[in-house]
Amino acid sequence: MVIHRPALCNSTPKDSLRDDSTAIIGLEVKKLQRGSSGKIARPSGMDYNTTPPCGTMRIYDRRKAVLDVRGFYLFVCQEDVSEEDRTYQVTALVLCDGNMLNEDFAYYLSVVGQRSKEIGLGTFGDGANRLRPMLIFANPLGAQFLDYDSTLIHVSINLQTEHPSLYRAGSIERAIAGDADRGIRVFHCYHDRRNRGAAPESAVPFRHLDPFPTPNRSEATVPRGRFILDVCPSMQ
């Protein structure tokens, strides 16, 4: 979805809207569940389907002209309260700057742009392969210190100045992959003081480097359509 203030968008130069999160943002919502163990599902990486996460998202205006805007992601863990009454509760929530997940806009564009597909496949030539990417990136709720809480993660270190109901609880640092100098991006975590009682700032701010769990992965894919039966035919 896109959240915007029409008056600001209509009076602001297009290039300025790319970084003006007070005028317009793109927002993607990711709903997760909690497993039988009590932990968030897919903690070591979740599916983003055919669109990689990014701190910049490409949309289009009424003239169908390109409009690039800041991207944010809302992660929620929704649990049933009563299946009979169809009521639910959110037990964990993170609203984060998309750049904490990925800031490579060129890669984002390479995936969401027009691609070719294979056609005329199979014995009868009526098959097609859409060659759709299936992407996995970090799941912030996989970090235990963000579970069972509501957190805003933002690049600004002084949001509480503009929004007194917020206070800075700590920071998350992410090391840039393949950077010989170990370049670091810093993001700041905010909580709402109205949920914390008096003087929440008395706690020492936390600081975590690359806190999101990542499984061991290989470049090889898992074979598909492999069925194993409890039979043993003769090899002759």
Side-chain angles (χ1 to χ4, degrees):
M1 68 182 75
V2 175
I3 302 172
H4 71 294
R5 292 187 171 106
L8 290 179
C9 291
N10 291 332
S11 61
T12 303
K14 175 181 175 180
D15 291 343
S16 298
L17 288 176
R18 178 171 179 145
D19 294 310
D20 189 355
S21 59
T22 66
I24 183 170
I25 64 167
L27 179 67
E28 183 168 343
V29 180
K30 293 292 188 184
K31 185 183 74 170
L32 298 111
Q33 297 179 329
R34 201 175 293 280
S36 57
S37 65
K39 295 183 178 180
I40 294 289
R42 303 299 301 272
S44 59
M46 64 178 300
D47 293 337
Y48 287 78
N49 298 321
T50 58
T51 304
C54 191
T56 304
M57 296 179 176
R58 173 155 291 181
I59 60 175
Y60 297 84
D61 64 19
R62 68 176 62 177
R63 298 161 299 188
K64 297 184 179 180
V66 166
L67 181 61
D68 297 330
V69 301
R70 292 285 282 110
F72 288 79
Y73 291 77
L74 178 63
F75 300 85
V76 295
C77 178
Q78 177 181 295
E79 299 185 52
D80 293 335
V81 173
S82 170
E83 293 185 4
E84 181 178 349
D85 297 333
R86 296 178 63 85
T87 54
Y88 309 91
Q89 62 180 345
V90 172
T91 56
L93 180 152
V94 165
L95 175 60
C96 80
D97 186 326
N99 280 332
M100 188 187 71
L101 305 169
N102 170 52
E103 61 182 44
D104 189 341
F105 187 52
Y107 174 68
Y108 168 93
L109 292 179
S110 74
V111 175
V112 302
Q114 189 175 31
R115 300 184 306 273
S116 61
K117 60 178 179 285
E118 297 176 346
I119 60 175
L121 304 178
T123 302
F124 306 105
D126 54 2
N129 182 355
R130 290 183 291 177
L131 300 174
R132 295 177 62 189
M134 294 300 291
L135 301 154
I136 300 173
F137 277 80
N139 174 7
L141 291 181
Q144 293 186 3
F145 68 95
L146 295 175
D147 197 1
Y148 290 108
D149 214 331
S150 57
T151 308
L152 168 64
I153 304 176
H154 199 277
V155 70
S156 175
I157 196 173
N158 58 357
L159 279 185
Q160 66 272 20
T161 302
E162 299 179 40
H163 306 281
S165 63
L166 299 178
Y167 77 95
R168 181 178 172 276
S171 63
I172 292 175
E173 300 178 1
R174 301 215 66 188
I176 299 175
D179 191 318
D181 297 324
R182 295 290 290 174
I184 298 290
R185 297 288 188 265
V186 181
F187 300 89
H188 303 280
C189 300
Y190 293 90
H191 291 156
D192 192 321
R193 68 176 67 252
R194 293 169 294 184
N195 298 333
R196 289 299 192 283
E201 295 90 337
S202 60
V204 177
F206 59 76
R207 179 183 177 187
H208 295 283
L209 173 63
D210 289 331
F212 308 133
T214 303
N216 293 324
R217 295 190 176 115
S218 67
E219 294 183 355
T221 60
V222 177
R224 302 290 181 179
R226 175 178 290 184
F227 297 93
I228 300 177
L229 303 179
D230 188 18
V231 298
C232 189
S234 170
M235 300 300 291
Q236 296 181 352

